[in-house]
């Protein structure tokens, strides 16, 4: 390094130190001034308290100061309290208004719900009434069907009873005609002598047509005995029976009566 550079560094250091000293001096002077001002402010109060000799004045002025201070202290609190009270009143009024609004909304909702429930109840009642009407109609239909079935059943039963009665009557009349014709044939029957000599035995069947008045209209041989002599006798009996009164009335009949020829019967 050159000498010139060395001298510059020393000069810079010296200037830096000088500036520091100046700043320190200024700071000490500023602190001294502030302390003097504080003392000056404190000293007049002490002088004022000493120089005032009237006790009433001394007693009154602190009270006034204290009252002012108390007022200054109390008034802000009261103002804050008033503000808080007013804010609480506002909040209460808002809450009340909100409650009123909520009650109105609840009433509207309740009305809507009631109307909906009433509508549902009315619809359910209408459905139940319709179902009851349908059930009544179905019961009426079933009753009519039952009456028709009963009438048909009664008619069928009556017809069946009639048919059964007619059958029974036909059986009775057939038996009566059969018995009367059998008695007539047995009274008129003769065993042929040649058939006896030849030991011919057999049975032939004669059919008699009987009218409603019980008389025999016609007669014919239905079954042969396989012997001409016996069949001839059966034909003669049939012709003799025409016009016979069987005394069975009310219905036309076809009565089959067997005629037996046997030698063991003697």
């Amino acid at each position: 390094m050159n000498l010139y550079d060395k001298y510059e560094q020393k000069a810079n250091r010296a200037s830096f130190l000088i500036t520091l000293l100046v700043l320190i001096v200024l700071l000490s002077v500023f602190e001294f001034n502030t302390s003097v001002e504080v003392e000056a402010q404190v000293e007049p109060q002490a002088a004022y308290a000493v120089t005032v000799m009237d006790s009433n004045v001394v007693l009154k002025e602190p009270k006034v100061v204290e009252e002012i201070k108390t007022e200054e202290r109390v008034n802000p609190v009261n103002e804050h309290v008033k503000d808080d009270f007013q804010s609480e009143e506002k909040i209460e009024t808002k809450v009340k208004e909100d409650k009123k609004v909520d009650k109105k909304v609840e009433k509207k909702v309740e009305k809507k719900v009631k109307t909906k429930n009433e509508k549902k109840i009315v619809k359910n009642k209408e459905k139940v009434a319709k179902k009851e009407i349908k059930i009544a109609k179905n019961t009426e239909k079933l009753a009519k069907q039952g009456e028709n079935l009963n009438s048909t059943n009664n008619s069928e039963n009556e017809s069946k009873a009639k048919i059964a009665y007619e059958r029974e009557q036909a059986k009775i009349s057939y038996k009566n005609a059969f018995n009367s014709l059998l008695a007539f044939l047995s009274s008129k029957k003769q065993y042929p002598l040649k058939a006896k000599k030849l030991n011919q035995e057999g049975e032939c069947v004669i059919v008699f047509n009987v009218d409603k008045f019980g008389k025999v209209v016609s007669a014919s041989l239905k079954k042969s005995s396989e012997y001409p002599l016996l069949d001839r006798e059966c034909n003669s009996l049939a012709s003799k029976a025409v016009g016979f009164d069987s005394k069975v009335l009310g219905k036309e009949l076809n009565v089959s009566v067997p005629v037996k020829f046997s030698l063991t019967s003697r």
Side-chain angles (χ1 to χ4, degrees), residues 33-77:
N33 289 324
T34 55
S35 64
V36 170
E37 289 177 357
V38 169
E39 290 176 356
Q41 289 177 359
V42 171
E43 287 176 358
Q45 291 177 357
Y48 176 77
V50 172
T51 55
V52 174
M53 296 302 291
D54 192 357
S55 63
N56 293 320
V57 173
V58 172
L59 292 169
K60 286 180 182 179
E61 285 180 355
K63 287 181 181 179
V64 171
V65 172
E66 287 178 358
E67 287 176 356
I68 291 164
K69 288 181 181 180
T70 54
E71 287 178 357
E72 288 178 354
R73 290 177 183 177
V74 171
N75 286 326
V77 173

Side-chain angles (χ1 to χ4, degrees), residues 246-261:
S246 63
K247 296 180 182 180
V248 178
L249 303 175
K251 198 171 185 180
E252 294 181 355
L253 297 172
N254 292 321
V255 182
S256 298
V257 180
V259 179
K260 291 182 180 180
F261 296 94

Side-chain angles (χ1 to χ4, degrees), residues 107-166:
K107 287 180 180 179
K108 288 181 181 180
V109 171
E110 287 178 355
K111 286 181 180 179
K112 288 181 180 179
V113 171
K114 285 180 180 178
T115 53
K116 286 181 180 179
N117 290 323
E118 287 175 355
K119 287 179 181 179
K120 287 181 181 179
I121 290 163
V122 170
K123 287 181 180 179
N124 290 321
K125 287 181 179 178
E126 288 178 354
K127 288 180 180 179
V128 171
K130 287 179 180 179
K131 286 181 180 179
E132 288 178 352
I133 290 164
K134 286 181 180 178
I135 290 163
K137 288 181 179 179
N138 290 321
T139 51
E140 287 179 357
K141 288 180 180 178
L142 291 170
K144 288 180 180 179
Q145 289 177 359
E147 288 177 356
N148 292 322
L149 289 170
N150 288 323
S151 62
T152 54
N153 289 322
N154 289 324
S155 62
E156 287 178 357
N157 291 323
E158 287 177 357
S159 63
K160 288 179 180 178
K162 286 179 182 180
I163 291 165
Y165 178 75
E166 288 176 356

Side-chain angles (χ1 to χ4, degrees), residues 174 203-209 218-226 231 234-235 238 254-259:
Y174 186 86
E203 181 179 348
C204 61
V205 178
I206 301 168
V207 177
F208 299 93
N209 295 320
S218 63
S220 62
L221 185 64
K222 183 179 180 181
K223 181 182 177 183
S224 174
S225 62
E226 297 181 356
D231 292 337
C234 287
N235 286 321
N254 292 321
V255 182
S256 298
V257 180
V259 179

